[in-house]
Amino acid sequence: MSISKTEDGYSVTMNDNILKDVAFEGDALVSGNFTASGYHVDVKGSFEGNNFEGMIDAEGNTFRMTALKQE
């Protein structure tokens, strides 16, 4: 996942998929979605320091996601 600050807010890319309808509240990614292989995929999670923990939901198939910030 790559997050970049833009003039309009943030741009989030995950494995070459650009997330749409991205919204942050404080340290939480409260919404973002993309379509992959015909599936609508929702992404949510929160940041704590350099760690990210969240969930990916592909039309009812839910997966835990963790990430570590690279500097």
Side-chain angles (χ1 to χ4, degrees):
M1 179 185 333
S2 175
I3 302 171
S4 304
K5 188 161 179 63
T6 66
E7 291 179 8
D8 298 328
Y10 292 91
S11 172
V12 181
T13 305
M14 179 180 288
N15 293 338
D16 297 327
N17 295 296
I18 298 172
L19 273 68
K20 301 175 189 168
D21 305 318
V22 173
F24 287 92
E25 289 181 8
D27 291 335
L29 171 63
V30 294
S31 68
N33 64 74
F34 62 94
T35 301
S37 300
Y39 289 97
H40 177 85
V41 181
D42 290 307
V43 181
K44 295 180 181 178
S46 60
F47 299 90
E48 186 174 319
N50 288 335
N51 297 309
F52 177 83
E53 290 190 23
M55 302 298 288
I56 298 173
D57 185 324
E59 298 184 16
N61 298 299
T62 305
F63 305 92
R64 183 172 171 254
M65 177 176 68
T66 61
L68 180 63
K69 180 180 177 182
Q70 289 186 318
E71 306 229 11

